[in-house]
Amino acid sequence: MKTKFIFTTGGVVSSLGKGLATASIGALLENRGLKITILKLDPYINVDPGTMNPFQHGEVFVTDDGAETDLDLGHYERFTHAKLTKLNNVTTGKIYYSVIQKERQGEYLGKTVQVIPHITDAIKTAIHRVAQGVDLVMVEIGGTVGDIESLPFLEAIRQFRYDVGKENTLYIHLTLVPYISAAGELKTKPSQHSVQKLREIGIQPDILLCRTECELAKEIKAKIAMFCNLSPDCVFTAKDVASIYEVPLHFHEEGVDEKIVELLNIWTRSPDLLEWKQLAEKIHHPQHQVTIGVVGKYVNLTDSYKSLNESLKHGGFANETEVQLKFFDSEDLNQKDLSQEMQGIDGILIPGGFGDRGIEGKIKAIQYAREKQIPFFGICLGMQLACIEFARNVCGIADANSMEFDEHCSDPVIDLMEEQKKLTTKGATMRLGAYDCAIEKDTLAQRIYQDRHISERHRHRYEFNNAYRDRLNYRGMVFSGLSPDGVLVEIIELPNHPYFIAVQFHPEFKSRPMHPHPLFTHFIRASLLNAQRQSWNSKKSGDNAGDSEKKPTVPETAVEKDQRAQSPQSGG
């Protein structure tokens, strides 16, 4: 079978969910037995999003090979089994940079370098590059139809149909059908105008996904189809759902995947969506609830922590628990009473970040979690700050700090990595991508991973300063995960605490809804146990229930169930 190509565009407004729609369709087609990959084309001029403020563009998602990419690649990996690399995210900046480099090297000698054909050809080359060894390539074009920035990408995908044949390409357009409450009507005009704009460019969509609050009646679909030059059975409702993990199920009920394989003339099996249905059941019928306090400085834009937020939910799925997230701006915490602010918080998480803004508020939250015996989980910067807090308040190193925040501090517990000191550029120069980690025996980390050799994704410039390792270890901090050569600290923990662990890497990039990362599974489990313990203690003191009161228990994780089933003593 020739490789097929599906192009997803969006219209009317941004943030309609092109990434989720693309990932959901990818999940359905993968379930039908097709080997897929997904490519994101971003119209901004940055070479990659690595130097952007998260408020500008949300989180930066890191792949195994160290690419700093758009957050939509996180959706692609969470919904499918596609192995994504630096080739799966292409920006305007990356395209123009490659073309200008070729021009400087003389590859276009004698020619005038133009948007057509040189830029569009480079875009098409990027699409073909990811098509090796797969049945189907899904391509999401960032931005909104009508934006000047995305025109070269739209022209490239217009040409693509003529290059590979109509039978091998499919155009999907995601648009908005708003409900006007004052009139009590759904309005189709924005969708009509969006498709009109797309057709002016030369692209006739084959399928319309209509984002809306409610189901579209047949009459509405027929009207949209007539004005957009489609068959009514190619217009689908993309209804708002309670959880993003229900989108594949809804698309399948609508018949989206069936229409796609029909239009592309592909023979596939029927999709097996049992896992997705079981996941939806867990989401809608949790047995427990916990509240996690996330202390960060990008909390006003939840997309800044997209993978983190989803990974915490995944940990909840594994524990049959609904995870409520409460975000705290770390800049505000330094002046507040945490005993008041943290009421009802069952676990505290400090995510990654850069710069000195809000640092002292995070350190204060870590101290509170350590002293009040609240489950704590630190990620990247969160691990570095846990080391600083411990050095200051347990080891008595008053000036403990990071060189990132104070270049002149006398006790740099966190220092710039040696290989970073000679760098003069910022883009794509951090310690990026997957690195191995060796876990110490008989530690919390080993119990969580059930392994002593792991690989995790990184994104940092600074590291723990080994000159302070013995002093912190003497006072009780365990360095439970190290680089294979023993030089870089990857995981720290406190054995005299119910649950206190922090990691230099980003486990959220490898968590999946069906396969939650063990660090999140165990963090939610510890937080759930803490919530139940607090509830039990409260009832015991209030009701004087004595020993007859049922003590807190938590459900087994999936890993623990498997281990018990395989145990010789299990009777199984």
Side-chain angles (χ1 to χ4, degrees):
M1 183 182 83
K2 283 189 175 181
T3 301
K4 308 287 185 176
F5 298 86
I6 297 176
F7 300 97
T8 307
T9 56
V12 185
V13 294
S14 60
S15 301
L16 274 184
K18 293 190 304 297
L20 281 171
T22 302
S24 298
I25 292 170
L28 291 172
L29 296 176
E30 194 176 66
N31 258 278
R32 284 177 167 267
L34 298 174
K35 186 176 182 181
I36 72 160
T37 192
I38 309 179
L39 168 65
K40 176 71 182 290
L41 300 177
D42 273 311
Y44 49 76
I45 299 177
N46 303 65
V47 174
D48 60 45
T51 56
M52 289 190 200
N53 188 301
F55 285 130
Q56 291 282 316
H57 201 67
E59 79 167 5
V60 175
F61 185 83
V62 178
T63 58
D64 271 348
D65 66 345
E68 294 176 291
T69 70
D70 185 78
L71 65 81
D72 278 328
L73 270 75
H75 290 313
Y76 306 160
E77 286 204 351
R78 284 188 286 273
F79 278 66
T80 74
H81 294 92
K83 301 298 182 184
L84 305 183
T85 70
K86 61 184 178 182
L87 301 179
N88 293 87
N89 191 194
V90 174
T91 68
T92 294
K94 191 176 290 186
I95 292 294
Y96 273 82
Y97 186 62
S98 67
V99 170
I100 290 170
Q101 279 187 316
K102 288 182 179 180
E103 188 274 331
R104 293 289 84 188
Q105 292 165 3
E107 293 191 32
Y108 304 123
L109 281 182
K111 297 178 181 178
T112 301
V113 181
Q114 297 175 291
V115 173
I116 302 173
H118 300 98
I119 296 299
T120 51
D121 281 354
I123 294 169
K124 290 189 288 184
T125 297
I127 297 172
H128 281 294
R129 194 177 291 128
V130 300
Q132 306 303 313
V134 298
D135 302 316
L136 189 144
V137 178
M138 302 194 66
V139 183
E140 177 196 348
I141 293 83
T144 306
V145 170
D147 293 345
I148 192 170
E149 294 95 339
S150 59
L151 285 175
F153 290 114
L154 295 173
E155 171 59 22
I157 69 170
R158 183 196 69 80
Q159 295 176 16
F160 210 89
R161 171 162 279 184
Y162 293 93
D163 294 343
V164 303
K166 182 177 181 180
E167 70 279 6
N168 296 316
T169 56
L170 188 76
Y171 298 121
I172 297 177
H173 189 56
L174 178 65
T175 184
L176 178 67
V177 181
Y179 177 76
I180 308 300
S181 57
E185 293 180 343
L186 289 164
K187 292 298 182 180
T188 65
K189 193 66 71 177
S191 294
Q192 295 176 39
H193 285 173
S194 182
V195 173
Q196 181 183 25
K197 197 72 179 175
L198 197 58
R199 292 175 69 193
E200 286 176 2
I201 298 167
I203 296 173
Q204 167 63 53
D206 301 298
I207 285 176
L208 274 188
L209 298 176
C210 301
R211 180 73 186 270
T212 183
E213 297 177 21
C214 49
E215 292 288 347
L216 296 183
K218 287 185 179 180
E219 295 77 15
I220 296 289
K221 289 183 177 181
K223 180 180 179 181
I224 294 172
M226 180 178 67
F227 284 104
C228 295
N229 199 34
L230 283 93
S231 170
D233 64 355
C234 291
V235 179
F236 297 95
T237 302
K239 185 180 68 172
D240 294 350
V241 289
S243 167
I244 60 173
Y245 301 112
E246 294 179 88
V247 177
L249 295 174
H250 175 72
F251 278 2
H252 179 65
E253 290 169 5
E254 278 281 296
V256 175
D257 53 319
E258 190 66 40
K259 177 56 67 173
I260 288 173
V261 297
E262 174 193 324
L263 292 175
L264 287 175
N265 193 26
I266 305 173
W267 182 91
T268 71
R269 66 180 184 232
S270 296
D272 179 6
L273 300 177
L274 178 61
E275 277 192 322
W276 288 97
K277 292 175 181 177
Q278 290 174 337
L279 179 62
E281 183 70 16
K282 287 183 180 180
I283 292 170
H284 286 289
H285 300 97
Q287 301 300 306
H288 315 278
Q289 185 182 85
V290 296
T291 301
I292 302 299
V294 179
V295 182
K297 58 183 183 179
Y298 311 121
V299 295
N300 292 323
L301 180 66
T302 55
D303 273 357
S304 300
Y305 301 117
K306 191 62 181 177
S307 292
L308 177 70
N309 299 343
E310 294 306 315
S311 297
L312 287 165
K313 294 177 186 177
H314 302 166
F317 301 159
N319 289 287
E320 300 177 343
T321 298
E322 178 185 358
V323 178
Q324 299 282 339
L325 301 181
K326 185 173 181 179
F327 294 93
F328 296 90
D329 190 326
S330 57
E331 282 192 285
D332 298 335
L333 281 188
N334 206 32
Q335 307 302 322
K336 293 185 177 180
D337 180 2
L338 292 195
S339 63
Q340 295 296 319
E341 292 294 315
M342 294 291 177
Q343 281 191 6
I345 297 300
D346 305 311
I348 295 175
L349 187 146
I350 307 290
F354 298 92
D356 61 355
R357 183 172 61 85
I359 290 303
E360 293 303 323
K362 293 183 180 183
I363 291 175
K364 186 176 180 181
I366 295 169
Q367 181 180 6
Y368 183 82
R370 180 179 57 79
E371 293 179 348
K372 300 298 182 182
Q373 302 285 286
I374 298 172
F376 171 78
F377 185 17
I379 294 175
C380 196
L381 178 64
M383 188 204 86
Q384 296 174 3
L385 296 181
C387 293
I388 292 172
E389 189 280 326
F390 192 85
R392 288 181 184 177
N393 299 315
V394 177
C395 301
I397 308 173
D399 196 38
N401 213 329
S402 168
M403 292 291 285
E404 182 179 5
F405 317 136
D406 183 1
E407 294 182 358
H408 305 292
C409 71
S410 58
D411 284 299
V413 173
I414 305 298
D415 199 359
L416 187 65
M417 299 179 71
E418 195 62 37
E419 60 267 29
Q420 294 284 323
K421 294 179 180 179
K422 299 177 183 178
L423 297 176
T424 57
T425 59
K426 294 292 185 183
T429 56
M430 287 186 278
R431 186 174 185 238
L432 293 165
Y435 287 89
D436 292 339
C437 170
I439 294 177
E440 295 295 311
K441 191 176 180 181
D442 298 327
T443 58
L444 175 60
Q446 187 194 12
R447 291 196 296 275
I448 289 172
Y449 276 99
Q450 293 295 304
D451 201 342
R452 294 191 59 198
H453 301 281
I454 62 170
S455 174
E456 294 283 4
R457 299 179 187 179
H458 295 67
R459 185 175 183 250
H460 64 104
R461 293 186 192 280
Y462 293 82
E463 64 174 342
F464 179 80
N465 186 344
N466 285 322
Y468 295 87
R469 193 189 292 188
D470 289 343
R471 293 172 71 179
L472 270 64
N473 181 244
Y474 179 76
R475 296 305 300 268
M477 179 173 282
V478 172
F479 299 91
S480 55
L482 304 171
S483 58
D485 60 6
V487 174
L488 301 180
V489 172
E490 296 278 17
I491 308 174
I492 63 103
E493 57 188 69
L494 298 180
N496 60 348
H497 190 282
Y499 189 92
F500 192 108
I501 192 166
V503 299
Q504 182 60 73
F505 44 82
H506 288 270
E508 69 269 28
F509 294 148
K510 296 183 74 171
S511 186
R512 307 290 179 261
M514 315 298 185
H515 303 285
H517 194 289
L519 281 168
F520 289 96
T521 297
H522 284 262
F523 175 57
I524 296 302
R525 191 167 191 264
S527 301
L528 176 58
L529 182 59
N530 180 50
Q532 294 180 343
R533 186 185 299 113
Q534 295 298 327
S535 176
W536 183 69
N537 288 340
S538 176
K539 288 180 181 179
K540 186 176 180 181
S541 61
D543 301 337
N544 196 26
D547 293 335
S548 62
E549 185 74 29
K550 185 178 180 182
K551 291 188 177 182
T553 59
V554 295
E556 290 181 300
T557 64
V559 170
E560 289 169 332
K561 288 179 181 178
D562 290 343
Q563 289 173 342
R564 182 168 53 79
Q566 295 169 10
S567 171
Q569 288 79 30
S570 66

